[in-house]
Amino acid sequence: MRRPLRAHGYRTAAAVALACALTAATQQVARADPMTLTEVRAELQRLYHDAEVATDKYNAVDVQVTEQEKRVRTLNAQVKAAETRLTGLTSLAGAAARAQYRSGGLPAEVQFALASDPEHALDNASLARQAQQSTQDVLAALAATRKDLRTRTADASDVLTRLKKNRRTMDADRKTIEQHIATAKKMESSLAAKQREQLAALEAKTAKDAQAKWVGTGILKKVGTDATAAGKKAIAYATRQLGKPYVWGDEGPDSFDCSGLTSQAWLAAGVTIPRTSELQWAQLKHVPVADMRPGDLIIYFSDASHVALYIGDGEIISAPRPGRVVYVSPAGSMEILGVVRPDA
């Protein structure tokens, strides 16, 4: 999940909204009755969802910076290679000109007139002119290429500078989100033991009910049950990560966010996919939910802010949110936006 956050006004408004939601949720915890716990759960979900959206934006811009740095390095290397070649060809052209000068520097027509073998002289003169023209053409083309590469490098460097500026701006947003997450964790831990049990039971019941409704549509009778060879490798990788903590912005090996887990799982299967859930939704092949198979990715929520790896039998492996670990959960426990297939 990575991408630049919007304008400063948006970030300020979002921060104020989160702070207000958090204050309201804290006040609700203080009252602590069953209905209040329902409201607290809703506020926590909104808080973590907003944090996940911000994570996706941050991850996206971080990926853009990394890719742009690679482009700049590649262009710089190409400029250097072009300059080295141009220097070498220029030196060779100069050496050829000096050699021609030492031979007398006579025009080809004069050499033809004085030659004992006019036909051979004509051949030599024609080849010499062709060689000279070819050398000049190559030098001109290479000089143009060098100029173009320098322009492209300068443009790419400007883009990189802007992206890095965006990332620096987002560092402050990252700290704000981390503070919100810490506050949310503190709010959860401040609940009495019985309240925490009730909250956990409420979450479990909500997930179970959502899954039952999803399964009740008969969807599991339609979906595929066999993963491809690559899909099996992705599932095996994700399975090995069970129990590792969610840390936003991480992609292993010790901790993951949701898209960090899915992108690394498929990378282990030999398939490179976008880093963020939003880009996975935007760029990978969409398949109908009824046609999905183990190894496919399920994208959640209308803003594509969460993603999980479908492993079959109506279950997913995902890195859910801060304070949780990579785990197996019901595929229908959250709002499904759609399904994408990395190895289509």
Side-chain angles (χ1 to χ4, degrees), residues 185 188 200 203 243-247 319-327:
K185 289 180 179 179
E188 286 186 284
E203 291 180 343
K244 292 184 178 180
Y246 176 106
V247 175
R321 65 169 177 79
R324 301 292 173 84
V325 298
V326 176
Y327 76 136

Side-chain angles (χ1 to χ4, degrees), residues 234-278:
I235 292 172
Y237 177 90
T239 300
R240 292 194 297 271
Q241 314 314 313
L242 291 174
K244 292 184 178 180
Y246 176 106
V247 175
W248 80 282
D250 281 8
E251 49 188 336
D254 300 319
S255 56
F256 298 86
D257 62 23
C258 70
S259 60
L261 177 64
T262 54
S263 61
Q264 289 302 304
W266 271 100
L267 183 61
V271 180
T272 300
I273 65 175
R275 169 63 178 85
T276 71
S277 59
E278 187 177 82

Side-chain angles (χ1 to χ4, degrees), residues 44-128:
L44 285 171
Q45 282 186 321
R46 280 192 285 271
L47 181 60
Y48 282 127
H49 175 265
D50 288 344
E52 195 160 33
V53 170
T55 300
D56 206 43
K57 296 177 185 297
Y58 185 93
N59 289 344
V61 77
D62 202 45
V63 168
Q64 290 173 346
V65 168
T66 300
E67 291 177 348
Q68 193 67 15
E69 286 175 338
K70 290 180 181 178
R71 291 191 190 99
V72 171
R73 286 196 298 270
T74 298
L75 287 169
N76 280 329
Q78 290 174 347
V79 169
K80 184 176 180 181
E83 290 178 339
T84 299
R85 188 179 177 202
L86 183 57
T87 299
L89 287 175
T90 302
S91 178
L92 288 174
R98 290 192 295 274
Q100 184 181 23
Y101 177 78
R102 287 195 298 270
S103 70
L106 296 174
E109 294 78 2
V110 176
Q111 293 185 35
F112 171 75
L114 299 178
S116 58
D117 185 353
E119 184 176 352
H120 185 65
L122 182 62
D123 290 341
N124 286 343
S126 177
L127 289 174

Side-chain angles (χ1 to χ4, degrees), residues 130-154:
Q130 290 177 15
Q132 289 172 356
Q133 186 59 51
S134 295
T135 299
Q136 292 303 317
D137 289 345
V138 169
L139 289 174
L142 196 54
T145 298
R146 180 182 64 177
K147 181 179 179 180
D148 176 63
L149 285 171
R150 284 178 171 174
T151 299
R152 289 166 57 194
T153 300

